[in-house]
Every structure is written in structure tokens, then in C-alpha cells.
């Protein structure tokens, strides 16, 4: 059996849980000890934290900073009722720092999701009375959960006409909507949008799927999925314009925004801050009722209605080559695991820095509403500049 000991600033030694075969790094994380907060020795000799723990050896991790790391780890060692389906967790910053945790049944989780949805819609005045709202519906967990929730609390919201819009498969042009049964059961009108409209919008010289494939093959540093998402947003905006719709409803959740935060720091398609949970792009207003919900909550909420955890809607080929995006989402989920409620700080900070009344200009090519700073000297947006540089515009 191996021994891993934490040596605090006062020289007190605390036994940590560790297993032979793991690295010291993994063992520290299992005990909620940040690996960067300690240096590790074996027989008084410094060793790397990526060293494998061996049976019969003793390792010591010396805490470097003067803070009570053990007290912090205790926040993550709480136990909840065994019959709970999930746990509601929220960081509370008052006289003391604590993580409030409560076990919830599936019914209680559903009620919590719906209650928060109503509060967010009301607080941020997402919908106008008697307006038509277009919900982007892929049939995935996020959009189907949002459709189910908005329908469930319809009597608690302003009177709106809800319709869904689905973009046909880029590769097959197949118009079959994943989870069409949910749409049909709820009696919601759904429109299927052809990706070929992008040829006209962007002036493409080939089909959209061929454009995305060309970008994936020639620009390895580009997150192709970000380009595809920009295409999708442009299709939504065109649909809204053609149908006199001002509000587009998107199922983005907390991890989407936190991952987008990292993408904006390390490099992405746009540097413009998205206002959370309501953001104006020229004549279109995007609303995100699930901005303060987690993916886990949406998955379980959808399960309560459908009895399914994951629905296999398939993946576009370029989704499997998005290492940067995967890393950002990994960081987002880690942050929410250790700092539940981080999205509220991000939304507050984001709202302070952004202004929904900013003046927009249109890209000279695709007519996408952008901030002036996001257009180049030719008045091209980032996407159109890439398309032009790769000779993908006719």
C-alpha cells in the first residue's frame, strides 16, 4: 500500500487517499488538492507529480501557499440522501463561503428547472406579449428540453406563438427532424431550412458541406464547428427576417457560455461579447432561457419527459476535429463542478461590459450584423474573410 501525505504550513501531516498505479497528480485531484498548490517529495527528493504511485512507498506533498486547503476540500465531501436522483449545488458568498447542496428527486428537479426558467424569462423580459418566437430545434438534448420546458410553463409566460426551425442535414439534405415526435406531440409548427440558402447568403462557389470540408482540410487551426455555427446563426437570422420574427430562442446552457468565454480569451471567430442571457444582433434578438441551467439538469429534465438520457442525432464530420472546443468545454465543466454558479458571475461581468444598444454595421458580403471592430478594412466579417482568402466565394 502506498502512502500520500499532505504537509500543511504548520507542519501538520494529513493522510490522503491514494491508489497504486495512479499518478500523484491523479491522487491529489481525488482528494480535491490542486496539484499546483504543492511540491512533492519521495525520501526527501523532489519528484514530478506525474510519477506513478508505487506500493510500499511514501510520498509527501508540501503545501506552498498560506491558506487552509483542507477546509476548502471539505466543501466537496458532503453526503446527500441516497434516494435522491441528483444534487442541486450553488456557491454562496456571504459571511462565509459555502456550497449549498440539496438532494432532489426527478420531479423536484423538473420543478426546479421550470421555476428557474420562468424567473429568467421574467427578469430579463425575454418575450413580448403576442409575439412569434422562433426556437432553433436540432432535436438534441438542449433544444428538445427547452421546447418541453417552454411548453410546460406556457401559462406562466407572456402569450407568445412558438414555432421551431430546423436546419436540414448539411451532408444529406435530409429533412427528417430528430425527435420529430416531440414537436408533433406538442403541436408546434416546425420549418426545415435548407443549408443551400448559404450559397446565396455568402456567395459560395460550392455546397456548404464542401466549403466546410475544404476549411477542415486546409485550415487546421480553425475550429470548423465555429464556422458551421456561424452559418447556422446566419440561416436563423434570414428565417427570422423572412417571417417578421424578432426573437430567436436558443437552448444554450451554462457550459456553452463558459466555454465561449474561454474561446474568446484564447482565440475564436468573434471577439464581441455575447450578452447573457439576451443578446441583440442588429434586428434579431437572441434569448437564452437555459443560460443558468447545466447540461446535467437539461439531460435529466428531458429524461423525465421522454425516458431517454441521450438521443442519437448523429455528428457532422467536422465535429470530431475540434480539439480546442473540447478543451474549452472540459474547463467549463470542471469550473462548474468546483464553483457551481460561476455562470452568474460571468453573466454579471459580461452585462457590465456589453451594451445591447451598441451600433452595428453589416458585413459587406453576408450582411451579418457585427460590431464595427469585428469587420476588416474591406468590411468583411471573420468568416467571410476566411472564405475570401480560400477562394470559396464566387
Amino acid at each position: 500500500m502506498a502512502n500520500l501525505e499532505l504537509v500543511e504550513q504548520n507542519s501538520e501531516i494529513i493522510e490522503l487517499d491514494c491508489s497504486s498505479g495512479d499518478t500523484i497528480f491523479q491522487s491529489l485531484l481525488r482528494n480535491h488538492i490542486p496539484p499546483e498548490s504543492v511540491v512533492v517529495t519521495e525520501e526527501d527528493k523532489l519528484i514530478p507529480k506525474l510519477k506513478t504511485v508505487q506500493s510500499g512507498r511514501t510520498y509527501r506533498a508540501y503545501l506552498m501557499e498560506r491558506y487552509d486547503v483542507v477546509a476548502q476540500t471539505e466543501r466537496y465531501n458532503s453526503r446527500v440522501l441516497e434516494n435522491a436522483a441528483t444534487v442541486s449545488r450553488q456557491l454562496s458568498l456571504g459571511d462565509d463561503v459555502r456550497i449549498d447542496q440539496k438532494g432532489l428527486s426527478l420531479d423536484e428537479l423538473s420543478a426546479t428547472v421550470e421555476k428557474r426558467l420562468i424567473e429568467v424569462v421574467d427578469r430579463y423580459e425575454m418575450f413580448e406579449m403576442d409575439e412569434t418566437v422562433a426556437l432553433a430545434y436540432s432535436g438534441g438534448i438542449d433544444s428538445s428540453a427547452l421546447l418541453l420546458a417552454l411548453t410546460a410553463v406556457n401559462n406562466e409566460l407572456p402569450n407568445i406563438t412558438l414555432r421551431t426551425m430546423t436546419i436540414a442535414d448539411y451532408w444529406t439534405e435530409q429533412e427528417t427532424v430528430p425527435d420529430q415526435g416531440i414537436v408533433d406531440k406538442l403541436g408546434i409548427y416546425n420549418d426545415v431550412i435548407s443549408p443551400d440558402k448559404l450559397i446565396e447568403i455568402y456567395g459560395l462557389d460550392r455546397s456548404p458541406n464542401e466549403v466546410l470540408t475544404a476549411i477542415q482540410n486546409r485550415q487546421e487551426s480553425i475550429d470548423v464547428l465555429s464556422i458551421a455555427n456561424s452559418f447556422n446563426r446566419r440561416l436563423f437570422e434570414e428565417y427570422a427576417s423572412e417571417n417578421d420574427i424578432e426573437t430567436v430562442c436558443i437552448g444554450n446552457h451554462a457550459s456553452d457560455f463558459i466555454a465561449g468565454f474561454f474561446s474568446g480569451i484564447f482565440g475564436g471567430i468573434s471577439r464581441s461579447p455575447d450578452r447573457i442571457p439576451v443578446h441583440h444582433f442588429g434586428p434579431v434578438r437572441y434569448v437564452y432561457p437555459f443560460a443558468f441551467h447545466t447540461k446535467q439538469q437539461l439531460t435529466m429534465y428531458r429524461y423525465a419527459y421522454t425516458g431517454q438520457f441521450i438521443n442519437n442525432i448523429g455528428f457532422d464530420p467536422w465535429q470530431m476535429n475540434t480539439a480546442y472546443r473540447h478543451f474549452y468545454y472540459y474547463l467549463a465543466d470542471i469550473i462548474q463542478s468546483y464553483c457551481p454558479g460561476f455562470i452568474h458571475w460571468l453573466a454579471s461581468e459580461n452585462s457590465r461590459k456589453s451594451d445591447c444598444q451598441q451600433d452595428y454595421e453589416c458585413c459587406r458580403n453576408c450582411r451579418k450584423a457585427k460590431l464595427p471592430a469585428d469587420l476588416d478594412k474591406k468590411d468583411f466579417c471573420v468568416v467571410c474573410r476566411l472564405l475570401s482568402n480560400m477562394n470559396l466565394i464566387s
Side-chain angles (χ1 to χ4, degrees):
M1 179 178 179
N3 295 313
L4 177 59
E5 302 171 342
L6 176 67
V7 183
E8 295 196 280
Q9 287 280 343
N10 60 4
S11 298
E12 180 181 354
I13 297 178
I14 298 174
E15 293 287 338
L16 300 178
D17 178 38
C18 73
S19 298
S20 299
D22 285 350
T23 64
I24 294 172
F25 190 97
Q26 291 171 320
S27 297
L28 290 168
L29 288 178
R30 181 184 297 117
N31 291 274
H32 305 300
I33 304 295
E36 289 302 312
S37 69
V38 298
V39 293
V40 181
T41 66
E42 179 187 3
E43 296 181 351
D44 295 325
K45 179 181 178 181
L46 284 169
I47 59 173
K49 301 181 191 77
L50 294 181
K51 184 172 182 177
T52 301
V53 173
Q54 298 181 18
S55 180
R57 303 290 182 88
T58 297
Y59 307 91
R60 284 194 167 182
Y62 291 84
L63 184 66
M64 296 179 290
E65 287 288 352
R66 293 183 179 275
Y67 70 90
D68 191 350
V69 68
V70 174
Q72 308 315 310
T73 64
E74 290 174 354
R75 307 183 198 284
Y76 306 101
N77 294 326
S78 302
R79 298 292 186 270
V80 297
L81 297 176
E82 293 183 2
N83 61 352
T86 187
V87 179
S88 173
R89 304 171 66 246
Q90 182 66 46
L91 178 67
S92 177
L93 298 175
D95 296 333
D96 186 22
V97 178
R98 69 179 189 274
I99 295 179
D100 297 324
Q101 302 186 111
K102 180 182 179 181
L104 299 175
S105 67
L106 198 57
D107 288 342
E108 290 171 330
L109 179 278
S110 297
T112 298
V113 168
E114 293 172 0
K115 180 175 182 292
R116 183 178 300 169
L117 174 67
I118 295 170
E119 292 172 347
V120 170
V121 169
D122 180 63
R123 176 181 177 182
Y124 294 94
E125 299 178 342
M126 290 187 170
F127 304 135
E128 299 289 340
M129 186 66 71
D130 298 324
E131 77 166 328
T132 298
V133 175
L135 187 151
Y137 186 78
S138 68
I141 290 173
D142 309 338
S143 61
S144 56
L146 180 56
L147 179 59
L148 288 165
L150 286 174
T151 304
V153 301
N154 181 57
N155 293 335
E156 304 293 330
L157 303 177
N159 183 39
I160 62 172
T161 299
L162 187 64
R163 62 196 296 177
T164 58
M165 51 184 176
T166 300
I167 299 175
D169 185 89
Y170 273 76
W171 294 89
T172 65
E173 282 286 318
Q174 184 176 353
E175 296 189 359
T176 301
V177 180
D179 266 351
Q180 177 70 42
I182 292 179
V183 176
D184 293 339
K185 184 177 181 180
L186 296 175
I188 302 296
Y189 180 80
N190 184 70
D191 264 328
V192 179
I193 306 171
S194 171
D196 283 345
K197 289 180 66 69
L198 293 167
I199 296 175
E200 177 183 352
I201 295 173
Y202 285 91
L204 303 177
D205 67 353
R206 63 198 73 180
S207 68
N209 67 310
E210 291 174 322
V211 167
L212 291 168
T213 299
I215 294 173
Q216 178 173 281
N217 291 339
R218 294 180 56 184
Q219 300 284 340
E220 294 181 1
S221 63
I222 296 293
D223 182 353
V224 184
L225 188 57
S226 294
I227 305 294
N229 287 339
S230 295
F231 281 175
N232 291 344
R233 292 297 180 94
R234 195 68 191 89
L235 287 171
F236 294 151
E237 291 161 11
E238 280 295 299
Y239 176 87
S241 176
E242 292 171 357
N243 292 275
D244 296 322
I245 294 173
E246 295 183 0
T247 303
V248 173
C249 195
I250 306 288
N252 285 16
H253 50 80
S255 288
D256 291 318
F257 289 106
I258 298 174
F261 169 71
F262 286 116
S263 179
I265 291 176
F266 298 122
I269 291 300
S270 174
R271 301 297 191 273
S272 300
D274 275 357
R275 192 176 176 88
I276 307 171
V278 177
H279 188 61
H280 291 247
F281 268 118
V284 177
R285 192 169 67 109
Y286 285 101
V287 298
Y288 308 98
F290 275 164
F292 302 106
H293 294 71
T294 67
K295 182 78 171 191
Q296 175 187 237
Q297 291 169 334
L298 305 191
T299 300
M300 298 189 72
Y301 181 82
R302 183 181 180 281
Y303 173 77
Y305 276 87
T306 67
Q308 297 177 333
F309 282 116
I310 302 296
N311 56 330
N312 183 19
I313 63 173
F315 292 93
D316 294 315
W318 54 83
Q319 286 186 279
M320 304 311 294
N321 187 28
T322 52
Y324 290 107
R325 176 179 179 272
H326 295 172
F327 178 60
Y328 300 149
Y329 272 86
Y330 175 78
L331 290 179
D333 287 342
I334 288 291
I335 285 178
Q336 290 188 99
S337 296
Y338 281 88
C339 188
F342 177 83
I343 183 62
H344 293 279
W345 171 86
L346 183 61
S348 176
E349 185 70 7
N350 178 277
S351 179
R352 184 180 67 82
K353 291 182 178 180
S354 62
D355 183 359
C356 65
Q357 301 300 324
Q358 294 181 91
D359 292 328
Y360 287 88
E361 296 180 5
C362 291
C363 170
R364 184 163 61 88
N365 183 55
C366 72
R367 309 307 300 165
K368 167 74 175 176
K370 304 289 289 186
L371 291 176
D374 286 329
L375 300 176
D376 65 11
K377 294 180 180 179
K378 296 181 179 180
D379 290 331
F380 273 24
C381 66
V382 174
V383 173
C384 289
R385 182 166 65 247
L386 173 65
L387 296 174
S388 177
N389 290 341
M390 293 186 62
N391 298 315
L392 296 172
I393 298 177
S394 56

